[in-house]
Amino acid sequence: MKGTEHSSPLSAFASAKAKFLLLGPVGPHTADLFAQARSLNLEHVSPASLVQQEISRRTPLGQQAASALSRGSSAAEQITLTLMRKWFWARKPDAGFLLEGFPATLLQALVFDEWLEARGETLTAVFAAPTAPADIVTHYRTFGFLRGNLSAAA
């Protein structure tokens, strides 16, 4: 029992083709999830990192995001969806991923579900932080993907 108490939630699904969502704000308790994702060769993706890449590259979308951030607002939902769509459709369909912080709204969850369905893909599991939006948690629980609370990974 001692060895399983602190094992990563990803352990039960160890596969390079696994597709995971981490809902809500992540904290230090998720560092082991990121390390295990790397060891499985899962791509670790977050909208925030994609926005920063676009800003660094000074792309038109990055300039829009930088403008939104300079006004004190986060990147608009449309920018987030555009960047995530670009990432999603550029990746190999059988490649696994650990997606952090997306979807952040129910609209994003519904759009993401459509993308997965269009490619004939399915999620492996969804993990939620205690403060994850309840409507998104309920959405993925309804489909049987919710596997646990991120605080349990601590």
Side-chain angles (χ1 to χ4, degrees):
M1 180 100 185
K2 185 178 179 184
T4 60
E5 286 177 22
H6 297 290
S7 66
S8 170
L10 303 186
S11 299
F13 309 103
S15 164
K17 295 182 179 187
K19 294 165 181 65
F20 299 104
L21 298 182
L22 301 180
L23 303 177
V26 296
H29 60 279
T30 56
D32 65 325
L33 293 175
F34 301 147
Q36 187 173 15
R38 280 189 301 278
S39 72
L40 293 171
N41 293 318
L42 297 177
E43 183 179 11
H44 175 199
V45 179
S46 74
S49 65
L50 294 177
V51 166
Q52 286 306 316
Q53 288 173 14
E54 294 293 313
I55 291 172
S56 295
R57 292 181 188 142
R58 299 178 188 252
T59 66
L61 199 53
Q63 291 173 354
Q64 289 177 10
S67 176
L69 291 170
S70 72
R71 291 189 309 267
S73 64
S74 62
E77 185 165 48
Q78 186 60 42
I79 293 171
T80 300
L81 281 170
T82 300
L83 287 172
M84 295 308 297
R85 182 179 58 238
K86 180 178 164 183
W87 163 79
F88 183 83
W89 292 103
R91 55 177 272 285
K92 293 180 180 177
D94 62 345
F97 57 79
L98 175 66
L99 192 50
E100 169 195 345
F102 182 87
T105 66
L106 186 56
L107 172 64
Q108 291 175 359
L110 296 170
V111 169
F112 187 63
D113 292 348
E114 288 177 8
W115 297 344
L116 288 165
E117 185 177 331
R119 283 184 92 165
E121 297 181 76
T122 188
L123 293 170
T124 303
V126 175
F127 300 94
T131 57
D135 55 348
I136 303 170
V137 172
T138 300
H139 173 75
Y140 286 112
R141 180 181 294 125
T142 300
F143 290 104
F145 292 121
L146 193 67
R147 296 289 186 254
N149 189 308
L150 288 177
S151 67

